[in-house]
Amino acid sequence: MPVVDVVNLEGKKVGQVELADSVFGAEVNRHLLHEASRWYLNGLRRGTHKVKEKSEVSGAGRKLWKQKGTGRARIGSIRSPLWRHGGTVHGPRPRSYEYALPKKMLLGALRSALSAKLAEEKLTIVDAWSLNTHKTKTLRSALDKLNAEKTALLVAYGDNRNLELASRNMEGVKLSASNVLQPYDILRHDRVVVSKDAAARLIRTLDPEHASAEAPHVESIAPAPAPKKEAAPKAAAKPAAKKPAAAKKPAAKKGKE
């Protein structure tokens, strides 16, 4: 494993850290670097280009002259693409240039970019981004002590308001979180300055030999017992209403024979 010195913002050595061979000592794959950079740049394109077609340019729709008998070429509209100031055919239209890149290719490109920077001795590990102020002058003096006079990519883990404010107005300096690091940014900047916590996060994320936690199989999880429904209290039975007795009809009198 490559061993790299850990320095503070004053440029003084405060310790050492071991970097994983699989992340910072991998073989540089130029093809992966090219594909990852192309994918990233295509995603940045707005795709707002547009040309006017025949139906969108100005001009009347009448026929300029009759079809036959004039000796001239037949024409149907002044907005024809064959004419000056006419419409444009097969021109660019608004669209998105984004496309999907396999995750393994992106991770491989990140390993190649980090390994290339370490091999060129342009990777610096700092103990922490402990800035007492958000002033740009303080960060500029710290970067000068870290041999980052030209362009620099700062990689941090977690929120750091002072670092964000101090670096956002510096030309040639870009701040990136460890979980959104791009191979194009690593290659574009002359020096990469990574915090110790961010380096540990990158090793954990990019190491292909790192064993990820396995989720339990779905079939092995017993279903939760169904909640028991409480029986509603029974209402007291009402006594049946007594039916009124039917009135007896008087017996019919027998007539005399």
Side-chain angles (χ1 to χ4, degrees):
M1 290 186 178
V3 179
V4 181
D5 294 337
V6 179
V7 297
N8 56 15
L9 296 183
E10 297 294 329
K12 298 179 181 179
K13 179 181 176 181
V14 295
Q16 290 183 333
V17 64
E18 290 185 357
L19 302 178
D21 262 337
S22 57
V23 178
F24 291 89
E27 182 181 357
V28 178
N29 191 326
R30 295 179 179 272
H31 174 69
L32 287 181
L33 292 175
H34 169 74
E35 290 295 332
S37 300
R38 180 172 170 267
W39 166 79
Y40 176 72
L41 292 176
N42 280 346
L44 295 180
R45 296 188 65 173
R46 293 181 179 270
T48 55
H49 40 44
K50 176 71 170 64
V51 296
K52 289 186 176 182
E53 298 180 350
K54 182 178 178 180
S55 61
E56 297 171 331
V57 296
S58 60
R62 67 180 181 85
K63 190 174 178 64
L64 298 180
W65 51 78
K66 62 181 182 178
Q67 182 81 351
K68 297 179 179 298
T70 62
R72 302 187 65 179
R74 52 194 174 186
I75 189 68
S77 172
I78 199 174
R79 297 177 294 179
S80 171
L82 303 177
W83 281 50
R84 185 170 176 264
H85 300 305
T88 303
V89 293
H90 307 302
R93 309 192 68 178
R95 71 182 183 93
S96 173
Y97 284 87
E98 294 181 359
Y99 61 92
L101 183 73
K103 186 178 179 180
K104 288 185 177 181
M105 292 183 65
L106 180 59
L107 298 182
L110 277 173
R111 288 190 286 265
S112 295
L114 292 172
S115 301
K117 283 297 179 182
L118 182 61
E120 296 173 359
E121 297 183 355
K122 293 185 177 180
L123 180 71
T124 305
I125 305 295
V126 296
D127 186 23
W129 291 111
S130 52
L131 296 175
N132 298 326
T133 178
H134 64 279
K135 297 294 184 180
T136 303
K137 183 179 179 180
T138 305
L139 180 60
R140 181 70 267 175
S141 62
L143 292 179
D144 291 340
K145 296 176 183 178
L146 296 174
N147 300 324
E149 296 86 0
K150 299 180 181 180
T151 58
L153 175 65
L154 315 181
V155 185
Y157 175 66
D159 296 332
N160 192 329
R161 185 61 175 171
N162 286 340
L163 179 61
E164 180 183 353
L165 294 176
S167 62
R168 69 181 181 179
N169 198 32
M170 296 179 64
E171 184 179 1
V173 177
K174 182 177 181 180
L175 175 62
S176 176
S178 58
N179 59 337
V180 293
L181 189 61
Q182 294 293 334
Y184 175 79
D185 290 333
I186 298 176
L187 299 177
R188 182 172 178 266
H189 294 85
D190 179 66
R191 180 164 291 273
V192 179
V193 187
V194 187
S195 66
K196 191 176 179 180
D197 295 339
R201 180 77 175 183
L202 288 173
I203 292 174
R204 182 178 179 182
T205 305
L206 301 177
D207 190 358
E209 301 176 359
H210 179 72
S212 58
E214 295 183 359
H217 194 58
V218 177
E219 296 179 358
S220 63
I221 301 177
K228 295 181 179 180
K229 295 182 179 180
E230 297 181 357
K234 295 182 179 180
K238 296 181 179 180
K242 294 182 179 180
K243 293 182 180 181
K248 294 183 179 180
K249 294 181 180 181
K253 294 182 180 180
K254 293 181 180 180
K256 295 183 180 180
E257 294 179 357

